[in-house]
Amino acid sequence: MDSFENRGAVVTGGASGIGFATAAELGRRGARVVLADIESGALDPAVARLRADGVDAHGVVCDVTSLDQVRSLADQSFALLGAVHVVFNNAGVAVGGPIADMTHDEWRWVLDVDLWGPIHGVEAFLPRLIDQGQGGHLLFTASFAGLVPNLGLGPYCVAKYGVVAMAEVLWRELRPHGIGSSVLCPMRVATNIGSSERNRSADYGGPRAEVAVPNQAPANEDLAGRVLPVEQVAWLTVEAITANRLYVLPHDESRESIRRRFQRIDRTFDEQPGLPDTLPR
């Protein structure tokens, strides 16, 4: 996709953070945009901001944990835009703490939003993109935690590893249809994911202050990586669409950690014993 002029784009978690910034970047390049978000109070001002900048923008309240709601989002998006070419599965939440302390509700909430949300996006939009026959691109927000395990973010890592795997498979499967796939794997970005508990419903145990993710501020030296502005991350993400680049890696400082992970995997072939011809008894 080398032009976004009059292309249709849908962004979940679009009322703030990376989602809003990416929608704004797409709109700046001529795309028509649907913002989807669970927070109706944030959605209307976000749409108004885009419209004030001349973007053809619309808002749809959507809880990505519900396949029915994501299917409704697809119906509304095609009705509003006429055609959809870019789908950015971006909505995400996180809880902090050791895996041993995680409740079943915390596992369900993180996996339902961060993994099942993107799966629902693929289920609802991909068949229609294929039938439309105009190419397109699927985007996913994963994380550095989807490439390298992060202590204290176990459920989040499990979900984001799954998102990375889905994007990798789609990148290969969708080539014959002219549809690309990219997965964003940043370290720290200036978003409000640290307060995502605000959107945790009673179905998942309600908000709990004690499972907040670690402080993302630049002063927190316990966390690796710079805190990047959302606008820079959004620009790089949109650039990945035009290049059909699978991985979007905004933090150069993540490179060494990623390299070490794959070196550990590779060393296992040398360190483990060879399979015996006859099993010892």
Side-chain angles (χ1 to χ4, degrees), residues 5 24 38 42 47 71 77 85 89 95 108 127 180 253 278:
E5 193 68 35
I38 196 172
V47 171
R71 282 175 171 161
S77 297
H85 304 90
N89 297 280
V95 297
R108 285 197 310 116
E253 55 267 45
T278 303

Side-chain angles (χ1 to χ4, degrees), residues 206-244:
R208 288 181 57 205
E210 63 270 27
V211 294
V213 299
N215 185 352
Q216 303 294 295
N220 187 351
E221 297 181 356
D222 292 334
L223 295 180
R226 298 160 292 160
V227 179
L228 293 179
V230 289
E231 293 80 9
Q232 289 185 349
V233 175
W235 179 85
L236 193 63
T237 301
V238 175
E239 285 293 305
I241 300 175
T242 61
N244 192 22

Side-chain angles (χ1 to χ4, degrees), residues 99 142-165 168 183-188 223-225 247-249 251-265:
I99 286 179
S143 171
F144 172 65
L147 296 171
V148 175
N150 285 202
L151 295 179
L153 289 173
Y156 186 75
C157 289
V158 170
K160 296 303 187 180
Y161 267 65
V163 171
V164 170
E168 289 173 332
V183 59
L184 170 62
C185 298
M187 294 173 119
R188 288 188 288 173
L223 295 180
Y247 305 104
V248 188
L249 302 169
H251 289 81
D252 292 341
E253 55 267 45
S254 71
R255 187 172 191 171
E256 185 56 34
S257 295
I258 295 169
R259 180 185 287 118
R260 285 199 303 268
R261 175 178 181 245
F262 286 99
Q263 286 174 340
R264 285 194 299 271
I265 294 171

Side-chain angles (χ1 to χ4, degrees), residues 12 64-65 67 70 87-92 110-126 138-142 159-160 162-164 166-167 170:
T12 68
V64 298
T65 68
L67 177 57
V70 180
V87 181
F88 188 10
N89 297 280
N90 166 74
V110 174
L111 292 177
D112 281 357
V113 176
D114 291 356
L115 182 55
W116 276 106
I119 292 170
H120 291 160
V122 171
E123 288 183 298
F125 282 93
L126 180 55
L138 296 178
L139 283 167
F140 302 90
T141 294
K160 296 303 187 180
V163 171
V164 170
M166 181 160 57
L170 288 169

Side-chain angles (χ1 to χ4, degrees), residues 55-98:
V55 179
D56 182 354
H58 311 268
V60 175
V61 176
C62 179
D63 179 352
V64 298
T65 68
S66 166
L67 177 57
D68 287 342
Q69 289 195 35
V70 180
R71 282 175 171 161
S72 176
L73 169 64
D75 290 340
Q76 293 179 72
S77 297
F78 276 91
L80 289 165
L81 302 176
V84 173
H85 304 90
V86 177
V87 181
F88 188 10
N89 297 280
N90 166 74
V93 299
V95 297

